């Protein structure tokens, strides 16, 4: 779902450019040369245009970035930059109302999307290469033929959508107001970072049409915008299109840069907030630092990594191991155009005093002051950068983002070489210097977010934070007419822009070549050789997971998976972690409902060494008692956090209702606080012995290595890892309910109601599964092309986002409609969903089918662009036994689909009278009203996870 706030860190900014490394990884401090291929030109009206050619896939990413974020807003009119991110997708003069979303669906695009930060707003989409002219036409319409379409009704409705986003992302979330409190106190009132990107509810409500138009006309001008096109296209032709569609947009007034201005804390401030959704106390400490690309920003990035990441980190050693206050401690450096800030965050265990957490942080700092950072640790921290850099190169969209980022904020799209080398040049002395300059003994802002009624856990001397909490008032918002048609004067043009450009030459969709093998121990291996970047990514999947657990003691699979990276027989937990990091690799082990997964990402040249570590992790677990105690305590802490999180509550309760208490799929994989507390190290060893068999294992590999080399590399593992097939219980999925029931779970004073409507439906292997997925596209699977989004979000402004879908595996899974809606329209939202379901088959049109077919067929051009997409393809083939070209089979189903088949499928699988209707929200205001849904007396669920 787009319209999400985006905050870029230095590391993210550094590592997401499209570039080609020309040297091997060098020792710490050595320079590395990166080559960025791009063309840049400027139109007479000031528009910066950057092209990047990448012919690895038949797709093109288009990104339009305006150098305007919340920092350009006026006090009292906050949230405008982000509001525009929404408005610019709704309508333009030549695409019409909803025209961009409709076109995105037709052309098989990734979906028109956008994001807003303090300093910029961007709009982006990846499309098949034959739709490039259409995208350039559409982006130009945003900039030059948009603002007249914003009318009072349009503004009123979109205000509701943005306020729903604020409720969903901040107001209805644990610790959601932390950044608000920090920034209000880290920056003076007249500083543009004093307010949040999302803005305030009052400011959004008070925004006038004149305010909105003034903001657009000032900042959305060509001389304040960068257009990037990245992918497989003809540059000469694309330049002609850019000139045709953008050149006649008039240049705006000159945009002067804002002065760099750090935050300022005259004296240390301590503030507390009783958080309605928190079950654990959380301490955040923040110091003002430097803006992005400042010479000291690089050392501060490494400082934050060293102090907080891994078992050698001082914060981990003191907070977690010595004081046993929390499962972890985070430290991160957030840089923006004008200023930066360093944060330390400790979410303590229940009932832990945050003064103890602050003391532990200071103790960790003192340890760093005594010891500093070694050259080996400095090299270790830098070692992962090369791998992370290459990971970004699978996506042309990521390349486009970074070219725009450097162009706007560094004044040079090729700044990546300097940026990377600035980071590599950081010395141990630099790290100590920036600590002393910005952290040691300096004033800071500290926030204590504590559970309701637990003020005593806050830092001593804290004062109450000024947090504005929205009151739930029935009918507070004005009614919006979704069918209103805006009337406005048309902006002149030298040619007829109302005609959508034609497609270019259709791209040839190439299915990646797949190789398959079976090792002597029974493990299957599937791979795709891909030499775009020198990486190897693989997953080792061992079927079982939660399905093999004892229903009376759930949580063992999760703990066992977490324990597997906590050392081996020959390596302590810290030694194993260092060995992985020195290779610039990542190895993660985690449990799912149906499997245990080992996920690996490494440089191709380090693949053999990385595989050796995976073998050691898999075959020689350490079973460290100290680490087990930490993991158990961390798991219980996670469970406690879920108990107050409306979204976690909704998912856990929905699983219980769908699968029933006798099916283990209904259980939270973490277990309950009670079951997790009874798990022993012997339980983990026993589960490992019975479940981790190669006969139940599948390995999926994508990367710069061929079949021969990869299968040969697995010889040692095949010889050492033996085991017979493990029988996995067949947990039967219940039938759909015979009649609808409304269930309500009370979260007092919830700002939104989280909804889960659905029933046990189909397995992925069922013959109707993919046809049902086709059926669902226009209902709730097609983003802004779907009826649920168009009516509940775009039409009524009830929600920030809503979706629906079928989610079966080899076993039947549920059909689910999921959303978070404004509390005071809980009933109205449920009634509208019910109405949409009742009429879906009846109203399904030839145009709906055409849109569905066009998207599902044309989007295949994007289907295999990234490594994760290729791994997903291998997963489907190995798990379900599908053919390597199953995409072609699906394409045939789509092409043959008829309206009559859709209507029959809707009647069979979208019956609202055979569904579970779960709502998690404020019972005192919403529960009594739900009788009006017509499904009988609602059932109030007990507050137990």
């Amino acid at each position: 779902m787009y319209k999400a706030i985006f905050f870029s860190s230095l590391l993210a900014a550094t590592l997401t450019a499209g570039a080609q490394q020309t040297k091997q990884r060098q020792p710490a401090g050595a320079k590395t040369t990166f080559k960025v291929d791009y063309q840049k030109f400027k139109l007479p009206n000031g528009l910066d245009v950057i092209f990047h050619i990448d012919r690895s896939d038949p797709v093109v990413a288009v990104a339009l970035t305006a150098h305007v974020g919340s920092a350009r807003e006026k006090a009292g009119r906050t949230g405008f930059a982000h509001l525009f991110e929404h408005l610019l997708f709704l309508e333009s003069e030549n695409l019409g109302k909803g025209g961009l979303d409709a076109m995105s669906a037709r052309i098989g695009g990734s979906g028109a999307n956008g994001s807003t930060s303090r300093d910029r707003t961007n709009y982006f989409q990846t499309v098949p290469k034959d739709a490039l002219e259409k995208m350039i036409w559409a982006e130009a319409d945003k900039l030059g033929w948009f603002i007249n379409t914003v009318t009072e009704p349009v503004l009123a409705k979109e205000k509701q959508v943005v306020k729903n986003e604020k409720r969903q992302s901040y107001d209805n979330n644990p610790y959601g107001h932390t950044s608000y409190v920090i920034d209000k106190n880290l920056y003076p009132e007249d500083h543009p970072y004093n307010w949040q990107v999302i803005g305030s509810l009052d400011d959004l409500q008070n925004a006038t049409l004149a305010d909105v138009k003034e903001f657009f006309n000032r900042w959305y001008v060509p001389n304040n915008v960068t257009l990037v096109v990245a992918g497989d296209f003809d540059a000469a032709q694309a330049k002609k299109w850019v000139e045709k569609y953008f050149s006649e947009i008039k240049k705006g007034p000159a945009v002067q840069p804002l002065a760099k201005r750090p935050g300022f804390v005259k004296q240390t401030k301590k503030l507390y907030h009783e958080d309605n959704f928190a079950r654990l106390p959380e301490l955040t400490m923040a110091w003002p630092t430097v803006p992005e690309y400042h010479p000291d920003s690089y050392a501060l990035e490494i400082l934050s990594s060293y102090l907080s990441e891994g078992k050698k980190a001082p914060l981990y050693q003191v907070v977690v191991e010595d004081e046993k206050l929390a499962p972890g401690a985070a430290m991160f450096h957030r840089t923006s155009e004008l200023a930066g800030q360093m944060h330390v965050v400790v979410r303590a265990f229940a009932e832990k005093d945050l003064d103890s957490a602050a003391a532990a942080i200071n103790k960790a700092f003192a340890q760093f002051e005594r010891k500093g950072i070694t050259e080996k640790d400095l090299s270790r921290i830098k070692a992962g950068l090369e791998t992370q850099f290459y990971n970004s190169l699978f996506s042309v969209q990521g390349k486009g983002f970074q070219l725009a980022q450097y162009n706007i904020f560094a004044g040079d799209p090729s700044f990546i070489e300097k940026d990377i080398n600035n980071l590599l040049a950081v010395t141990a002395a630099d790290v100590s210097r920036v600590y002393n300059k910005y952290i040691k003994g300096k004033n800071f802002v500290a926030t204590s977010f504590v559970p309701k009624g637990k003020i005593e856990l806050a830092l001593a001397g804290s004062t109450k934070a000024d947090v504005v909490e929205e009151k739930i008032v029935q009918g507070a918002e004005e009614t919006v007419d979704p069918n209103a048609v805006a009337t406005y004067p048309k902006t002149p043009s030298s040619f007829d822009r109302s005609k959508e450009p034609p497609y270019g030459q259709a791209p040839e969709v190439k299915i990646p070549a797949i190789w398959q093998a079976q090792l002597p121990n029974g493990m299957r291996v599937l791979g795709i050789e891909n030499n775009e970047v020198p990486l190897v990514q693989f997953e080792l999947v061992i079927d079982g997971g939660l399905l093999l657990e004892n229903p009376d003691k759930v949580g063992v699979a999760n703990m066992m998976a977490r324990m597997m990276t906590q050392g081996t027989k020959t390596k302590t937990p810290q030694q194993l972690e260092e060995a992985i990091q020195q290779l610039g690799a990542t190895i993660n082990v985690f449990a799912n409902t149906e499997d245990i997964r080992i996920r690996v990402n490494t440089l191709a040249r380090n693949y053999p060494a990385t595989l050796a570590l995976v073998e050691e992790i898999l075959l020689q677990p350490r079973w460290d008692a100290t680490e087990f105690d930490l993991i158990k305590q961390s798991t219980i802490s996670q469970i406690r956090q879920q108990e107050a999180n409306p979204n976690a509550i909704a998912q856990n309760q929905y699983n219980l209702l769908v699968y029933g208490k006798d099916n283990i799929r209904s259980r939270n994989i973490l277990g309950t606080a009670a079951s997790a507390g009874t798990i022993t190290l012997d339980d983990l060893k026993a589960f490992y012995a019975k479940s981790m068999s190669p006969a139940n294992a599948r390995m999926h590999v994508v990367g710069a290595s061929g079949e021969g080399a990869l299968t040969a590399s697995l010889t040692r593992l095949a010889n050492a890892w033996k085991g017979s097939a493990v029988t996995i219980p067949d947990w039967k999925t219940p039938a759909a309910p015979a009649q609808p029931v409304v269930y309500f779970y009370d979260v007092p004073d919830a700002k939104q109601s989280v909804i889960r409507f659905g029933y046990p439906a189909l397995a992925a292997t069922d013959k109707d599964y993919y046809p049902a997925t086709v059926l669902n596209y226009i209902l709730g699977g097609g983003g802004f092309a779907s009826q649920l989004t168009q009516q509940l979000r775009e039409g009524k402004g009830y929600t920030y986002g809503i979706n629906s879908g079928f989610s079966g595996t080899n076993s039947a899974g549920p059909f689910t409609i999921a959303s978070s809606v404004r509390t005071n329209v809980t009933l109205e939202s449920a009634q509208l969903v019910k109405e949409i379901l009742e009429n879906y088959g009846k109203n399904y049109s030839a145009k709906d089918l055409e849109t569905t077919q066009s998207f599902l067929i044309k989007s295949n051009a994007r289907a295999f662009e990234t490594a994760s997409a290729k791994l997903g393809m291998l997963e489907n083939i190995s798990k379900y036994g599908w053919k390597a070209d199953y995409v072609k089979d699906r394409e045939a189903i789509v092409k043959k689909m008829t309206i009559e088949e859709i209507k029959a499928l809707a009647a069979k699988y979208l019956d609202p009278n055979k569904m579970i209707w779960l709502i998690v929200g404020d019972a005192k205001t919403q529960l009594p009203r739900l009788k009006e849904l017509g499904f009988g007396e609602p059932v109030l669920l007990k507050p137990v996870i």
Side-chain angles (χ1 to χ4, degrees), residues 26 236 263 345 419 435 456 528 545 553 604 700 728 735 839 843 923:
Q26 301 294 316
V345 183
D419 202 15
Y435 168 79
E456 70 275 8
I528 295 172
K553 206 172 191 178
H700 312 132
I728 298 173
N839 294 323
N843 296 339

Side-chain angles (χ1 to χ4, degrees), residues 268-272 283 353-356 358 446 448 455-463:
T268 293
K269 299 179 182 179
K270 301 177 182 179
L271 304 109
Y272 76 87
L283 172 65
D353 189 300
L354 292 181
D355 281 311
S356 300
S448 301
I455 298 174
E456 70 275 8
L457 299 180
L459 287 184
S462 294
T463 58

Side-chain angles (χ1 to χ4, degrees), residues 536-777:
V536 174
Q537 298 183 40
F538 67 88
E539 282 191 336
L540 183 57
V541 184
I542 302 103
D543 292 331
L546 176 65
L547 299 181
L548 289 172
E549 290 210 53
N550 178 353
D552 297 325
K553 206 172 191 178
V554 172
V556 175
N558 170 65
M559 287 194 200
M560 186 214 72
R562 292 184 63 183
M563 278 293 292
M564 292 190 70
T565 52
Q566 305 307 310
T568 67
K569 286 183 178 178
T570 61
K571 291 181 177 67
T572 65
Q574 183 175 307
Q575 288 170 339
L576 176 61
E577 183 179 81
E578 286 188 45
I580 295 169
Q581 291 174 347
Q582 292 291 351
L583 296 171
T586 58
I587 302 174
N588 295 304
V589 185
F590 53 94
N592 294 312
T593 301
E594 297 188 343
D595 56 56
I596 304 291
R597 287 180 186 249
I598 303 176
R599 182 171 292 164
V600 183
N601 191 334
T602 184
L603 293 163
R605 65 172 182 267
N606 291 340
Y607 165 76
T610 304
L611 179 63
L613 291 177
V614 171
E615 293 172 11
E616 201 173 332
I617 288 167
L618 180 63
L619 302 179
Q620 302 175 44
R622 187 175 184 86
W623 308 123
D624 187 284
T626 300
E627 293 296 331
F628 171 68
D629 290 339
L630 291 171
I631 286 173
K632 180 191 282 191
Q633 195 171 14
S634 170
T635 301
I636 294 172
S637 180
Q638 284 181 271
I639 294 167
R640 292 300 184 205
Q641 291 178 68
Q642 289 187 355
E643 290 173 354
N645 186 316
N647 286 290
I649 292 169
Q651 195 54 53
N652 288 329
Q653 291 293 331
Y654 184 66
N655 287 342
L656 278 168
L657 294 169
V658 166
Y659 291 108
K661 61 182 179 62
D662 294 330
N663 188 325
I664 203 162
R665 294 175 187 275
S666 69
R667 309 304 173 83
N668 183 348
I669 198 165
L670 301 179
T672 64
S675 69
T678 65
I679 293 171
T680 67
L681 198 52
D682 285 340
D683 291 327
L684 271 58
K685 293 177 182 178
F687 189 82
Y688 170 87
K690 82 170 186 178
S691 66
M692 302 293 281
S693 170
N696 285 57
R698 302 170 277 129
M699 184 172 175
H700 312 132
V701 191
V702 173
S705 186
E707 176 182 2
L710 281 165
T711 52
S713 73
L714 296 169
T715 301
R716 185 172 60 189
L717 178 62
N719 291 332
W721 189 21
K722 304 291 186 182
S724 55
V726 177
T727 301
I728 298 173
D730 182 17
W731 301 93
K732 295 295 184 184
T733 301
Q739 59 187 23
V741 180
V742 177
Y743 297 93
F744 200 102
Y745 188 106
D746 184 25
V747 177
D749 300 319
K751 308 307 177 189
Q752 287 189 311
S753 294
V754 182
I755 63 173
R756 297 288 187 272
F757 305 154
Y759 69 97
L762 294 164
T765 51
D766 191 291
K767 65 179 178 61
D768 277 352
Y769 186 81
Y770 189 67
T773 301
V774 177
L775 157 79
N776 180 65
Y777 180 79

Side-chain angles (χ1 to χ4, degrees), residues 261-532:
R261 185 183 174 192
F264 177 70
V265 183
K266 188 174 182 180
Q267 60 183 27
T268 293
K269 299 179 182 179
K270 301 177 182 179
L271 304 109
Y272 76 87
H273 175 62
E274 291 182 85
D275 192 325
N276 187 53
F277 306 102
R279 285 294 179 270
L280 304 174
E282 180 179 271
L283 172 65
T284 301
M285 302 167 73
W287 293 260
T289 60
V290 298
E292 60 188 348
Y293 309 137
H294 184 284
D296 286 348
S297 66
Y298 303 94
L300 285 163
E301 182 72 28
I302 289 177
L303 171 70
S304 66
S305 296
Y306 175 69
L307 286 175
S308 65
E309 294 177 8
K311 296 185 183 301
K312 281 197 72 174
L315 283 168
Y316 183 88
Q317 291 179 342
V318 177
V319 173
V320 179
E321 294 183 341
D322 297 347
E323 306 297 333
K324 297 179 173 52
L325 294 171
M331 188 171 184
F332 60 90
H333 189 222
R334 176 186 177 187
T335 58
S336 302
E337 183 180 15
L338 308 181
Q341 55 204 77
M342 182 72 83
H343 289 222
V344 176
V345 183
V346 174
R347 186 173 299 168
F349 293 127
E351 305 302 325
K352 292 292 184 181
D353 189 300
L354 292 181
D355 281 311
S356 300
I361 290 169
N362 289 329
K363 184 178 176 182
F365 284 174
Q367 179 178 316
F368 172 73
E369 291 170 21
R370 292 193 307 272
K371 299 180 179 179
I373 182 173
T374 66
E375 290 297 330
K376 183 179 179 182
D377 286 326
L378 188 62
S379 297
R380 171 177 58 84
I381 290 170
K382 293 177 181 178
L385 298 179
E386 187 178 5
T387 303
Q388 294 178 57
F389 171 78
Y390 282 127
N391 282 333
S392 70
L393 301 185
F394 278 103
S395 165
V396 291
Q397 190 174 88
K399 299 169 188 176
F401 286 165
Q402 198 52 52
L403 287 166
Q405 167 79 13
Y406 284 132
N407 186 64
I408 292 170
F409 299 111
D412 180 7
S414 65
F415 184 73
I416 185 167
E417 180 177 351
K418 185 175 181 181
D419 202 15
I420 291 288
N421 283 319
N422 285 345
L423 195 62
L424 294 177
V426 171
T427 66
D430 290 330
V431 178
S432 294
R433 176 180 56 79
V434 295
Y435 168 79
N436 291 325
K437 185 173 182 179
Y438 301 103
I439 308 298
K440 183 180 179 181
K442 301 300 184 290
N443 294 332
F444 57 88
V445 177
T447 60
S448 301
F449 274 58
V450 298
K452 286 276 189 181
K454 296 288 184 178
I455 298 174
E456 70 275 8
L457 299 180
L459 287 184
S462 294
T463 58
K464 184 174 175 57
D466 182 18
V467 174
V468 179
E469 301 250 45
E470 183 185 21
K471 290 182 172 58
I472 301 168
V473 179
Q474 205 62 43
E477 285 78 12
E478 57 190 286
T479 303
V480 177
D481 180 4
N483 300 312
V485 178
T487 57
Y488 46 81
K490 293 296 183 76
T491 305
S493 175
S494 60
F495 62 95
D496 182 7
R497 289 176 175 266
S498 64
K499 186 177 181 181
E500 182 177 320
Y503 284 107
Q505 182 177 353
E508 180 183 356
V509 179
K510 295 181 180 178
I511 297 175
I514 297 168
W515 57 266
Q516 302 188 42
Q518 185 159 4
L519 303 184
N521 64 355
M523 184 174 80
R524 292 174 291 151
V525 186
L526 295 84
I528 295 172
E529 184 173 356
N530 185 286
N531 293 295
E532 290 179 43

Side-chain angles (χ1 to χ4, degrees), residues 91 96-97 149 151-154 481-488:
E91 183 172 358
K97 185 177 180 180
T149 69
T151 60
E152 293 285 3
V154 169
D481 180 4
N483 300 312
V485 178
T487 57
Y488 46 81

